[in-house]
């Protein structure tokens, strides 16, 4: 497995690493909301990684048609000289290439640059209670390969970590055999095999320094990999990658999943709740038109949770506790829930689904959605998860009816809209890959 170096965004200090976190990006001169105007760059050496991220993000959103250096300077607020230096580094690292020339209003035609999607990849790993899904995404977030396998989250930490690691290795081995992907790896200058070395913490990522070992002749060249994003049911500590009492599986409490998987695979690992990962992917995909819009992603599968995007950024809370939507009590002395309470929305929804009463499950889910709309004044509700996917129209009608009734009671002419989240069954896994990809573009929170 080849570990993709982040040379284009690195300096001697840990803060200059390519993993740009939200706090640093904001202090560096603003942040970019979903689909919004790029925050202005700052011409200081200490902000080199921030400026490179701004440029990379514009190249990403420009697509195959590309963007000129002059346009990059205008949209970032950087000087043309600074943009030239940044793009030169990006081209040297194989992340950017020329996309032709474009006529200008005067003088010679402008050279257009574009991102090289295959110059880097991230693995997104969704660990559900009974199933594992792994996807490999390129720098644009497009899925290159995918694997699924049964999973028993209660089988014990060692068994789950080993099974997950084998699926990731199998995924990467399959892609390494594809000639065009291998060619991209060679073009990017990343043909070393990663071995487990010193493990250190950089922001929210466990960084594993790989040993540089040339790939043997005749062996498929591994694709350049930024790392693995892991999404699974909470509660958990996103900052340290440690699980808490996962609902239904209290034996995971205190387990350092991030570090364990990073040591096993020899690549950086980020861990987050499944709903947060999905919300991040949706935010980057433009789920709301407003750059600073807010929405709730409600995921009903083997459990029920919410991912919250407020003001254009994923809201995790101080302890990754935000979005425990399924465990709000709406029926005192109701049926017991796996969390230890009674009358939780999750317990009521799953019970209704189990007896085949989808209309009741949708009504209960709608009651929770209405609570969120009242508390947070969100712009949109998105529904996802395998249970919703089985009968999407029923859930749309049921949740929409409750939100509509709430709007009428308040005298509003419009209700909070509700839609099925794009991405389907692999939406969480794709969002998990964005846990690694988004920071490269200065979009760690969306």
């Amino acid at each position: 497995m080849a570990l993709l170096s982040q040379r284009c965004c690195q300096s001697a200090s840990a803060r200059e690493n390519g993993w740009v976190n939200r706090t640093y990006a904001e202090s560096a001169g603003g942040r970019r909301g979903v689909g919004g105007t790029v925050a202005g760059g700052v011409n200081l050496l200490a902000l080199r990684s921030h400026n490179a991220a701004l440029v990379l993000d514009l190249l990403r959103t420009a697509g195959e048609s590309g963007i000129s250096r002059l346009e990059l300077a205008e949209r970032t607020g950087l000087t043309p000289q600074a943009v030239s230096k940044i793009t030169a580094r990006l081209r040297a690292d194989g992340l950017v290439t020329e996309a032709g020339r474009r006529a200008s209003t005067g003088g010679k035609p402008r050279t257009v640059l574009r991102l090289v999607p295959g110059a880097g990849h991230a693995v997104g790993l969704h660990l559900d209670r009974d199933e594992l899904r792994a996807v490999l995404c390129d720098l644009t977030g497009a899925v290159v390969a995918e694997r699924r396998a049964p999973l028993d989250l209660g089988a014990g930490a060692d068994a789950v970590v080993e099974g997950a690691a084998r699926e990731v290795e199998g995924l990467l081995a399959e892609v390494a055999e594809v000639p065009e992907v291998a060619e991209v790896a060679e073009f990017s200058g990343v043909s070393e095999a990663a071995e487990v070395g010193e493990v250190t913490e950089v922001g929210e990522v466990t960084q594993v320094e790989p040993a540089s070992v040339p790939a043997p002749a005749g062996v498929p060249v591994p694709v350049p990999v930024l790392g693995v994003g892991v999404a699974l049911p909470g509660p958990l500590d996103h900052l340290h990658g440690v699980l808490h009492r996962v609902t239904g599986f209290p034996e995971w409490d205190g387990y350092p999943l991030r570090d364990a998987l990073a040591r096993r695979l020899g690549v950086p690992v980020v861990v987050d709740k499944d709903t947060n990962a999905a919300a991040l992917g949706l935010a980057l995909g433009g789920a709301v038109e407003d750059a600073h819009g807010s929405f709730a992603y409600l995921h009903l599968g083997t459990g029920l949770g919410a991912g919250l995007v407020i003001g254009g950024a994923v809201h995790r809370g101080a302890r990754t506790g935000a979005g425990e939507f399924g465990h709000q009590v709406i029926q005192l002395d109701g049926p017991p829930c796996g969390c230890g309470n009674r009358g939780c929305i999750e317990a009521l929804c799953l019970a209704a689904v189990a007896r085949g009463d989808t209309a009741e499950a949708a009504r209960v889910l709608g009651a929770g959605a209405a609570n969120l709309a009242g508390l947070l004044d969100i712009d949109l509700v998105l529904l996802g998860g395998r249970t919703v996917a089985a009968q999407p129209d029923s859930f749309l009608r049921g949740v929409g009816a409750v939100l509509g009734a709430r709007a009428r009671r308040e005298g509003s002419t419009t209700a909070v809209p509700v839609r099925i989240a794009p991405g389907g069954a692999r939406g969480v896994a794709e969002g998990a890959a964005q846990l690694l990809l988004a920071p490269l573009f200065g979009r760690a929170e969306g």
Side-chain angles (χ1 to χ4, degrees), residues 86-145:
I86 291 170
T87 54
R89 290 199 304 270
L90 296 176
R91 291 189 65 189
D93 288 336
L95 294 171
V96 173
T97 189
E98 289 188 6
R101 295 182 180 276
R102 184 179 299 164
S104 63
T105 55
K108 63 180 182 180
R110 299 172 184 170
T111 300
V112 178
L113 303 175
R114 67 170 177 85
L115 187 69
V116 179
H121 300 79
V123 175
L125 189 60
H126 179 195
L127 303 180
D128 209 342
R129 292 172 174 85
D130 59 358
E131 180 184 81
L132 175 155
R133 186 183 297 267
V135 298
L136 182 69
C137 297
D138 65 20
L139 291 180
T140 68
V143 175
V144 175

Side-chain angles (χ1 to χ4, degrees), residues 227-303:
V228 178
V230 185
L232 73 163
L236 54 81
D237 180 347
H238 165 65
L239 185 63
H240 299 101
V242 175
L243 306 189
H244 294 322
R245 293 177 63 85
V246 177
T247 305
F249 302 91
E251 63 271 22
W252 282 97
D253 190 21
Y255 186 77
L257 178 61
R258 181 191 68 181
D259 292 350
L261 197 55
R263 293 180 194 280
R264 170 62 178 79
L265 289 172
V267 296
V269 172
V270 183
V271 173
D272 207 345
K273 291 197 296 189
D274 47 8
T275 50
N276 288 342
L280 175 63
L282 291 166
L284 291 169
V288 292
E289 294 181 2
D290 184 357
H292 300 291
S294 300
F295 68 86
Y297 167 72
L298 307 184
H299 184 95
L300 179 59
T302 58

Side-chain angles (χ1 to χ4, degrees), residues 58 80 98 107 111 128 155 162 172 182 190 195 200 208 217 221 227 263-264 278 280 306 358 360 366 419 428-429 434:
L58 284 172
E98 289 188 6
T111 300
D128 209 342
E162 183 58 32
L172 294 174
V190 184
E195 294 183 355
T200 57
V208 183
V221 177
R263 293 180 194 280
R264 170 62 178 79
L280 175 63
T358 303
E360 174 63 9
R419 300 202 297 261
V428 172
Q434 289 293 349

Side-chain angles (χ1 to χ4, degrees), residues 349-374:
C349 267
L350 295 180
V353 170
R355 62 177 182 267
D357 193 348
T358 303
E360 174 63 9
R363 188 181 71 87
V364 172
L365 186 60
N371 288 343
L372 272 183

